[in-house]
Amino acid sequence: MAAVIARLDEAFQNVAANKGAAGPDRMDIETVRAHWPELRAELSRQLGGGSYEPGMIRRVWIPKASGGQRGLGIPNVVDRVVQEAVRMELDPLYEPTFHASSHGFRRGRSCHTAIAQARQYVEDGYEYVVDMDLEKFFDRVPHQRLMAALSQRVHDRSVLVLLSRMLRARVVLPDGVVVSNEEGVPQGGPLSPLLSNIVLDELDRELDRRGLHFVRYADDCNIFVRSERAGHRVMASVVRFIEGRLRLKVNLAKSAVARPEERHFLGFSLRPALLAERVEVLPSKRTRERLREAIVAKTPRNWGATLKSCISALNVYLRGWMGFFGVCTESVRVLLERSDAHIRRRLRALLLKDWKRKRTVARKLIALGVKRKTAWRSVYAGRRSVWSMSIAGAVERGLRNAYFADRGLVSLAQLWEADPRRIVAPVQLVLALG
């Protein structure tokens, strides 16, 4: 326990850097920072004497991309500091021994390295994927099995007692009801990612023992096989292992044996190239739908503010999106160019709506360089909605692509072109992992 206590100051700095909301005690990070010397002394005394008891965890619900809601647990800031100190102590014990096909919450690994390894398997001829979905994994981790696994390497009994207390910390639901926590590793604390990898490392070892080719990121696991028949055989046997040995639940409705291009893995899908032996990395169907929904949501017809502010907010999202999906291969260009065109059309419609009167629209277009006769004829050509008018020739000539670029609008296609990661074949990232 002395090693955990010695890490409290560094742990607080890590927690403060990650920011985050206050827990049930309503003490935010700045409040804890102002009183840290006294709080640290009290934490040290409690941890050293074995009297430390974690506070309750505030449960919040956030929407999932696939529908439904995901529960997050927000511990008190001081409890997050203790969790981080424990994580820092345990991480060196486990990180070097985790399987090479585990990519979630690990240094030097990410969604991108997971996709790179998956791409390599498909290129090697493993043309079917067993897509395993663990149902409410973080809420169903058996505490007894987890503590048994921890006790094999953690020999300080006081640390094991502390971990057990953390796992059993009570939860405050949004309606104020307090419930006990008999199973699960609530997402939201610094320790839960490491504990989830410790739980699922047994699955990794079993898949490796069977000689299967797999990629796992947290509770998302894809197993790559050469045929659909082999996929169904693997699916059945792995489900038996997960539910029988690990005492976890597989969501059979969301799990499937399919071609990689038909599945959504970490936001991507893998599609064999038509004229080459390479495999294309593309945003999945679900990701494409979410991109379009986000563009619509961020360019409402009733924006009511300046075009500049709309573009500024839109740019934040587009840069973040491309920061994640910039590793896609050449075929993504069509999607990006179409998305750019859709964005500009949405902005044109926004401006037309703001200009209101047809007379104003015509005068604005003339001021933008459209011939007078063309502008008036285009605007008054029958009863046209704002959306229909947004692709009229006169409107497109007046509100050219350069018009929006001059006002700061970024282009997804240009961001992708400038992204140095697309030059590096994703398989090279896997090889670099060693």
Side-chain angles (χ1 to χ4, degrees):
M1 185 61 73
V4 172
I5 295 173
R7 294 181 181 274
L8 287 176
D9 286 325
E10 185 179 357
F12 173 68
Q13 295 303 322
N14 292 345
V15 169
N18 289 331
K19 300 180 180 179
D25 67 359
R26 300 301 176 186
M27 289 180 60
D28 59 20
I29 289 173
E30 292 309 314
T31 302
V32 172
R33 189 193 304 276
H35 298 88
W36 177 241
E38 309 96 283
L39 291 171
R40 188 200 188 286
E42 181 62 16
L43 281 176
S44 299
R45 184 189 67 78
Q46 292 179 358
L47 290 169
S51 62
Y52 169 80
E53 288 284 350
M56 293 186 290
I57 297 173
R58 181 162 63 92
R59 173 62 60 90
V60 297
W61 298 98
I62 61 173
K64 297 171 62 175
S66 56
Q69 293 181 314
R70 183 189 304 277
L72 291 183
I74 303 178
N76 295 326
V77 174
V78 292
D79 294 328
R80 296 209 295 270
V81 172
V82 176
Q83 284 195 29
E84 174 64 9
V86 174
R87 185 204 66 79
M88 293 168 64
E89 186 65 19
L90 296 186
D91 191 68
L93 290 177
Y94 288 95
E95 171 59 30
T97 65
F98 283 146
H99 197 278
S101 293
S102 170
H103 295 262
F105 316 120
R106 299 181 61 193
R107 291 187 300 275
R109 294 170 184 268
S110 65
C111 293
H112 295 155
T113 59
I115 290 297
Q117 186 177 21
R119 183 192 190 194
Q120 182 64 67
Y121 287 147
V122 179
E123 289 184 347
D124 288 343
Y126 297 89
E127 298 178 353
Y128 284 85
V129 61
V130 181
D131 186 355
M132 307 290 295
D133 184 273
L134 298 183
E135 186 175 302
K136 297 182 179 179
F137 164 72
F138 285 91
D139 295 332
R140 289 184 169 171
V141 172
H143 288 176
Q144 186 175 358
R145 283 191 56 82
L146 175 55
M147 291 306 302
L150 288 165
S151 64
Q152 294 177 6
R153 297 193 194 180
V154 181
H155 304 300
D156 187 332
R157 178 170 174 76
S158 62
V159 174
L160 290 173
V161 171
L162 174 60
L163 285 164
S164 179
R165 290 176 179 174
M166 288 176 172
L167 289 173
R168 291 185 288 105
R170 293 185 300 169
V171 177
V172 182
L173 299 179
D175 59 5
V177 175
V178 178
V179 297
S180 60
N181 191 16
E182 302 299 332
E183 63 179 1
V185 181
Q187 290 177 271
L191 192 55
S192 58
L194 175 61
L195 295 181
S196 69
N197 275 335
I198 292 173
V199 171
L200 291 175
D201 188 58
E202 187 174 355
L203 172 62
D204 297 343
R205 299 300 164 185
E206 177 65 17
L207 297 179
D208 184 72
R209 187 187 67 78
R210 298 183 185 189
L212 296 172
H213 299 80
F214 70 97
V215 180
R216 183 176 65 79
Y217 188 97
D219 56 333
D220 290 328
C221 183
N222 277 7
I223 305 169
F224 294 85
V225 295
R226 293 190 183 275
S227 69
E228 186 175 9
R229 183 178 179 182
H232 287 293
R233 184 174 64 251
V234 168
M235 169 76 84
S237 63
V238 173
V239 168
R240 286 195 298 270
F241 176 82
I242 291 174
E243 298 189 344
R245 180 66 179 272
L246 300 184
R247 292 169 53 194
L248 298 169
K249 180 69 175 176
V250 176
N251 188 334
L252 296 178
K254 293 185 178 180
S255 302
V257 176
R259 297 278 189 177
E261 62 264 33
E262 299 171 0
R263 303 303 292 175
H264 170 99
F265 183 47
L266 305 177
F268 297 89
S269 63
L270 302 172
R271 185 180 71 186
L274 296 177
L275 301 176
E277 296 181 359
R278 305 290 289 171
V279 170
E280 296 172 342
V281 179
L282 298 168
S284 68
K285 179 181 178 181
R286 188 190 307 173
T287 297
R288 297 195 300 271
E289 291 172 350
R290 291 179 65 192
L291 172 62
R292 189 173 184 88
E293 290 169 359
I295 290 171
V296 171
K298 293 180 182 301
T299 55
R301 213 66 51 79
N302 58 345
W303 174 250
T306 65
L307 176 67
K308 182 179 180 181
S309 64
C310 182
I311 289 176
S312 178
L314 189 59
N315 283 349
V316 172
Y317 176 81
L318 297 179
R319 288 195 174 98
W321 192 91
M322 188 51 63
F324 188 79
F325 291 101
V327 298
C328 288
T329 48
E330 181 68 26
S331 293
V332 77
R333 187 192 302 273
V334 175
L335 168 67
L336 301 182
E337 291 176 347
R338 287 177 178 173
S339 297
D340 283 338
H342 182 58
I343 290 168
R344 290 189 295 266
R345 185 179 179 186
R346 296 281 308 178
L347 293 176
R348 290 186 186 105
L350 186 152
L351 282 174
L352 292 173
K353 179 73 172 180
D354 185 57
W355 292 343
K356 297 180 181 178
R357 296 172 178 272
K358 290 187 175 182
R359 180 186 306 171
T360 304
V361 172
R363 288 174 176 173
K364 292 280 189 179
L365 293 178
I366 293 169
L368 290 168
V370 179
K371 292 181 179 179
R372 179 179 298 273
K373 184 177 180 180
T374 302
W376 286 103
R377 183 170 54 197
S378 178
V379 169
Y380 283 94
R383 297 176 61 87
R384 307 182 68 176
S385 66
V386 167
W387 184 243
S388 173
M389 196 183 301
S390 65
I391 55 171
V395 174
E396 289 189 329
R397 282 194 292 275
L399 299 173
R400 298 175 183 272
N401 298 355
Y403 176 90
F404 298 106
D406 290 344
R407 283 152 183 79
L409 178 66
V410 301
S411 160
L412 286 173
Q414 290 178 3
L415 288 175
W416 178 77
E417 286 280 359
D419 195 326
R421 295 173 301 171
R422 73 180 188 85
I423 300 173
V424 181
V427 64
Q428 292 177 283
L429 296 176
V430 170
L431 297 176
L433 293 175

